[in-house]
Amino acid sequence: HHKCVQIPEDCDDYLCQACTQTVSLQQKTKRRHLESPSYNSLPDKPISVILSCLEDTRDLLNASMVCKQWRRVSKTPALWRRAALSNLTLTDNWSTFKSQFESLTKLDSRGMGYSTHINKVWEALAPVLGSIPTLKFVTLGSVTCPVVSVLLSNIKGIKHFEAQYITHESSRRYNDNKQVSEVDLETCSSQPHLRHLALCSATLLRLPPQSDLKLLRKLQRLQTLSITSFVPGSLDKAGLGFISHLRNLSALQLGSCSNWADEQYSVLSNLTNLKHLRLESGPSEPTVGLSSALVKLHQLIQLELIAFPLHSTLRDAITQLPKLNLLNLAPAAANNEQLAGMNQILLTVMRSGNIWCGEWGAVISVNKTCHANTLIIPVLRSFVADSVLYKAASRRGQGDILMINVTEAKQLLAEFLPEKGVCGVYTLSRNTAHWIKMCS
């Protein structure tokens, strides 16, 4: 009887007035347990909604071990549209995931561990991924160059491909004993729907011999391109002309520009939809080519020149870009005299146009220890003679060169640009393949 469970807590036995039966406390507890709701009585749909909130695949796998019902629900293909494999250690046996991956849309392997060789794991996974028609977004953590080529060849219709840490166990040596790995960019031409391509390496990258990048003109839907870790001259030799045909590009990041001349800069002038441009490791001498290309990029919002020489015509080019409001300049020169002159150009450029956020980068050598009080930034005395900083630092340096530290550079930047929104100064150093921001 439903009223039999209504027994006072201070009684061991209770005579039910409705059915005239004696009910013990033990029976009462059992009936309450049977009538109270539990997670075992939940239908599959609420459980599926709960599991869909788990962002990490490891959490989903742990939830599948709660009970048989949760295990069954966790295998629903809809829960595997996004696979984040961080904190998982995987083998080359992907058979357990094959059924779940049927509706996979996004794959993120950042933070994933390997119990066997990395190549074996991905060689076993590539055919599985290639058979999934819904897979469109791939973000990789640690991966080798052959795996990048295999995945780009096997996965069809991909829209987003990013490899953040490319390495190779048998990488060769380049010049000053730096490691170099080969990656075949031509395989990207088989992905006409590609919109985002980003390749960053732990070691320097270079293209295979006789590579021709003309085939990359097929990537007409590409909106973001980032290739910053290549050996200087490797991309130039294969031909950068394909970039001028990618009219839908809105973000472009290129590194190893040390061999660039006016011809290379001219490929940028056709990118009329470009909003974000980042160039790294420029030539030893400034040229007019960069300024000539910039004046045609009227949609540009953010410009970053890292370890790049600054030409005096850059200021005039900046004033002709009405939408540019984010500027990050880290000039590089052969000596302090040239660098001081470029820092003057930098401050003049940041004063011009509609720049709202400006960053001033100071390039330092790899083995140099740098703190906020280290004197590493040269400026011209004549240019800062009227500043408050000059009185305290006038005895530093030699001749017309005044040496200041990062803290003082921030004060100088704030004094020169009082109406700007955000201004900062930082140091950066280059490791094997890319630039690393140090103190700021």
Side-chain angles (χ1 to χ4, degrees):
H1 194 274
H2 71 281
K3 291 185 178 180
C4 292
V5 296
Q6 299 177 1
I7 304 175
E9 297 295 337
D10 56 347
C11 298
D12 292 334
D13 296 297
Y14 177 69
L15 181 62
C16 179
Q17 300 298 327
C19 59
T20 64
Q21 292 183 3
T22 302
V23 183
S24 67
L25 185 62
Q26 183 179 3
Q27 290 174 315
K28 177 198 72 170
T29 306
K30 182 178 181 181
R31 291 184 183 183
R32 280 185 173 177
H33 175 72
L34 292 175
E35 293 187 5
S36 61
S38 67
Y39 66 86
N40 289 322
S41 63
L42 287 175
D44 290 354
K45 189 173 182 179
I47 296 176
S48 179
V49 173
I50 294 172
L51 296 182
S52 66
C53 298
L54 300 177
E55 297 182 357
D56 197 278
T57 303
R58 183 179 181 180
D59 295 335
L60 182 59
L61 293 174
N62 289 337
S64 68
M65 294 185 286
V66 171
C67 62
K68 292 182 179 179
Q69 184 190 16
W70 283 43
R71 182 174 181 83
R72 184 184 70 255
V73 176
S74 68
K75 292 185 178 181
T76 305
L79 296 175
W80 290 85
R81 290 175 182 169
R82 179 186 62 211
L85 306 180
S86 60
N87 301 317
L88 283 177
T89 301
L90 301 180
T91 66
D92 55 353
N93 182 14
W94 289 90
S95 58
T96 55
F97 292 98
K98 192 169 184 179
S99 59
Q100 287 96 316
F101 281 177
E102 290 177 357
S103 302
L104 186 64
T105 301
K106 296 182 179 180
L107 176 67
D108 188 346
S109 73
R110 290 175 295 181
M112 184 176 72
Y114 304 93
S115 61
T116 183
H117 194 275
I118 184 173
N119 279 351
K120 291 184 178 180
V121 174
W122 285 105
E123 285 173 2
L125 177 61
V128 176
L129 298 179
S131 63
I132 304 173
T134 57
L135 183 58
K136 304 298 180 185
F137 302 87
V138 177
T139 303
L140 306 175
S142 179
V143 69
T144 61
C145 288
V147 169
V148 172
S149 300
V150 168
L151 292 180
L152 286 172
S153 301
N154 281 269
I155 305 174
K156 303 301 179 184
I158 194 170
K159 294 182 179 180
H160 178 110
F161 188 89
E162 182 176 356
Q164 296 187 350
Y165 196 79
I166 302 176
T167 185
H168 199 295
E169 59 178 357
S170 60
S171 54
R172 302 177 182 177
R173 298 287 176 174
Y174 167 76
N175 285 357
D176 49 354
N177 210 30
K178 294 179 180 178
Q179 291 184 330
V180 178
S181 304
E182 284 188 354
V183 61
D184 189 3
L185 279 181
E186 292 185 36
T187 55
C188 299
S189 61
S190 62
Q191 302 292 342
H193 301 284
L194 195 62
R195 296 180 182 177
H196 178 98
L197 176 63
L199 302 177
C200 186
S201 176
T203 61
L204 286 172
L205 299 175
R206 68 177 171 191
L207 299 172
Q210 309 303 322
S211 291
D212 189 355
L213 299 181
K214 290 181 180 179
L215 293 175
L216 298 185
R217 296 179 181 181
K218 298 179 181 179
L219 305 179
Q220 290 298 313
R221 300 185 183 183
L222 195 65
Q223 297 176 359
T224 303
L225 177 62
S226 176
I227 42 179
T228 59
S229 304
F230 279 80
V231 171
S234 179
L235 293 175
D236 306 338
K237 186 177 180 180
L240 284 172
F242 76 94
I243 294 179
S244 62
H245 295 270
L246 306 179
R247 301 299 177 89
N248 290 319
L249 268 185
S250 61
L252 176 64
Q253 298 185 23
L254 295 175
S256 305
C257 304
S258 57
N259 294 332
W260 276 36
D262 293 345
E263 179 182 356
Q264 282 74 30
Y265 290 117
S266 63
V267 303
L268 303 176
S269 57
N270 292 330
L271 305 178
T272 54
N273 293 318
L274 199 64
K275 297 180 179 180
H276 177 197
L277 175 63
R278 179 185 173 102
L279 300 177
E280 299 179 358
S281 305
S284 57
E285 296 294 333
T287 63
V288 187
L290 176 59
S291 302
S292 302
L294 287 177
V295 295
K296 300 180 181 180
L297 307 180
H298 298 291
Q299 302 300 319
L300 198 64
I301 297 176
Q302 182 174 355
L303 174 63
E304 298 181 74
L305 300 176
I306 307 301
F308 231 84
L310 305 182
H311 196 272
S312 57
T313 57
L314 184 61
R315 179 184 179 278
D316 296 332
I318 296 298
T319 56
Q320 299 182 49
L321 301 177
K323 296 185 178 181
L324 185 66
N325 52 42
L326 299 173
L327 193 60
N328 182 5
L329 301 178
N335 52 59
N336 283 340
E337 288 75 13
Q338 293 181 1
L339 187 56
M342 291 182 187
N343 285 331
Q344 177 180 344
I345 297 173
L346 179 147
L347 292 170
T348 306
V349 166
M350 288 191 178
R351 276 180 172 177
S352 60
N354 299 317
I355 306 301
W356 180 82
C357 177
E359 286 193 286
W360 180 0
V363 180
I364 62 174
S365 59
V366 178
N367 298 323
K368 186 174 182 179
T369 302
C370 179
H371 304 284
N373 296 323
T374 306
L375 303 177
I376 56 172
I377 303 176
V379 293
L380 295 175
R381 292 181 185 272
S382 56
F383 186 69
V384 298
D386 297 331
S387 66
V388 178
L389 171 69
Y390 184 75
K391 295 180 180 180
S394 59
R395 296 182 180 180
R396 302 175 190 165
Q398 297 179 351
D400 196 32
I401 305 300
L402 180 67
M403 300 299 295
I404 62 176
N405 57 41
V406 171
T407 303
E408 293 169 337
K410 290 180 182 179
Q411 299 172 0
L412 183 63
L413 198 60
E415 184 178 349
F416 269 74
L417 312 172
E419 298 179 357
K420 302 301 179 181
V422 179
C423 296
V425 181
Y426 65 93
T427 59
L428 73 163
S429 177
R430 184 176 177 85
N431 68 357
T432 304
H434 50 87
W435 291 96
I436 300 175
K437 182 180 285 191
M438 310 291 282
C439 65
S440 60

